[in-house]
Amino acid sequence: MTINEKDIKAILEKMPPKTKKNRRKHIFIKDSSTAQEIEANTRTMPGIISQRACAFAGCKGVVVGPIKDMVHIVHGPIGCAFYTWGVRRSKAKSKDPAKNFLNYSFCTDMQESDIVFGGEKKLAQMIDELVEIFKPEAITICATCPVGLIGDDLGAVAKKAEEKHSIQVLHFNCEGYKGVSQSAGHHIANNVFMEKVIGTGPLTEAPGQYSVNLLGDYNIGGDAWEIERIIKEIGYTLVTTMTGDCSYKDLKNAHVADLNLVQCHRSINYIAEMLETKYGIPWLKTNFIGVEATIQTLRNMAQIFGDEALIRKTEEVIAREVAEISPTLEKLRKICTGKTAFCLVGGSRAHHYQDLFAELGIETVAAGYEFGHRDDYEGRKVIPFIKSDADSKNIPDLHVESHPTQYRLRMSPEKYAELKEKIPALGNYAGMLPDMKDGHVIVDDYGHHECEELIKLMKPDIFASGVKDKYISHKMAVPSKQLHSYDYSGPYTGFRGAVIFAGDVANMLTCPGWKMITPPWKDKPLLEGTVRTDA
Ligand code: CFM
């Protein structure tokens, strides 16, 4: 069911005037006849029950945490460590299991006395112990809120530890309050890796032909492994993935790849841009979620390298993979087709999953990011017009210049311009809005009340989201597909992932359990009144 402006007004009506005014700028109905602008990446209104996390979560939990062979220390209270460990399912395997530290959660476990007297000594002692026990090649330290408040000097501790142990010790000033959401933490992590890690590896040229980095895939449920399987099959050399199943050694050599594939634009676009400026590596916005999207991405990649043999091999692999999945996918599509979905996720999946839903015949009628920026909605063309506010000024843009010896033009400017004409996703992200149909709802940093009201009004068949909000929909008898951790399933990328996703969705849609729940609006009237039976 579609809704209109009056419905949106009614949804917001219950809010206090200030909140209502604010939220009005974050929610609208797509209307392609006018230029629509959304407010995004601004401070959440207290009380709306946002799904966002903090800058620390975005730095430690999202970008830094998945690197398998570095020991990641959380300097702060134990809760911050626990809630950024284990729940995100960024999988990793290592040839040497002793060098895969993702099964461990390392934390200084700050107590009241540390807050009063400072936590630097405790942190330094922890580093000594970790080096002795685990012998990691490098260590990261992520700051939590109290560390910033008491002023522990992480830089000084890291520097001393580096001198003492002769390994790199990176510190991230990613205190939770550093931004309006986890997005700030992505940016902080990008800056440190760019400044201190990428480009420090020994390689000066790619270790194989058609070399690429996969940026912004965190291997949730094995997503990056499915992408890796396909691209290696075609003949690409994967230098590093940032940061799913990532190793420190590979990350250091990221500067030698010939193309950067940007899967999650929100979390890693900073590195993509900086790698282009500093080393001359072009980037391509990809989408490996959905069969058609994967095919389009693979064709774009082949076209960029422009090698006939690669183009041929790409088509061969596509044909073989499609033939392998089509019979099952077709059966599942029959179950799914004609249904509707909400897609309310983080900062990129709310867009990416619309392609996969559409392939299954499911229409995404409402979508939104928790912490996307305006460019994730409206496309990168709006970046010059985005107002910077106090929060965005917390994280300075790193100033990078072309590297004196390692900068290498991957193609001539003429060739780049020619390819750009054919491949709009080269060096650009057009955002989610152009792909949404008129009448669909877009909601940024959605709150609990809005979510509940939209479900009541639009009655989607599936609610794709999942941090805290999945239980809202469950109580309303609408199945929820968790699109952060995938509810123990996955991978959902590429060809095989599309079948796993379709299977999971079909199971949910046909599960009889949902019919046994009585949603609140079925036994409580939405409108009060009397019915005249004599008319
Ligand atoms: Fe990028 Fe992500 Fe996402 Fe994200 Fe996240 Fe995530 Fe996400 Mo949860 S990096 S923006 S901060 S694709 S953890 S793997 S699913 S909110 S849409």
Side-chain angles (χ1 to χ4, degrees), residues 51 53 57-59 61-63 66 87-88 90 182-183 186 216-220 223 242 263-268 289 344-353 368-372 376 465 467 482-486:
Q51 305 299 318
C59 184
V62 175
V63 183
V87 291
R88 188 158 165 264
S90 42
Q182 54 265 64
S183 171
H186 303 152
D217 194 289
Y218 302 90
N219 204 26
I220 309 299
D223 272 355
M242 286 184 216
Q263 177 65 9
C264 167
H265 173 264
R266 182 64 271 133
S267 63
I268 210 99
I289 296 178
L344 301 166
V345 209
S348 82
R349 293 185 174 182
H351 183 195
H352 288 160
Y353 275 86
Y369 299 124
E370 290 161 28
F371 51 80
D376 300 303
S465 185
V467 182
Q482 226 277 32
L483 279 188
H484 297 264
S485 75
Y486 299 162

Side-chain angles (χ1 to χ4, degrees), residues 3-13 24 29 457:
I3 61 168
N4 56 35
E5 285 297 328
K6 248 169 76 187
D7 295 317
I8 300 224
K9 226 177 137 206
I11 291 173
L12 302 180
E13 208 43 59
R24 193 65 197 90
I29 296 169
L457 280 169

Side-chain angles (χ1 to χ4, degrees), residues 187 190 215 262-277 283-286 347 351 369 373-386 397 416 420 424-434:
H187 199 162
N190 277 228
L215 308 191
V262 176
Q263 177 65 9
C264 167
H265 173 264
R266 182 64 271 133
S267 63
I268 210 99
N269 76 90
Y270 319 97
I271 280 183
E273 265 196 275
M274 291 188 274
L275 282 175
E276 185 158 24
T277 312
W283 63 271
L284 171 74
K285 176 70 189 78
T286 63
H351 183 195
Y369 299 124
H373 296 200
R374 272 187 64 201
D375 39 316
D376 300 303
Y377 290 99
E378 300 169 64
R380 288 181 67 90
K381 64 179 187 303
V382 302
I383 290 177
F385 310 103
I386 296 176
D397 275 320
Y416 187 87
K420 216 166 154 36
L426 178 60
N428 189 36
Y429 177 43
M432 172 164 85
L433 270 182

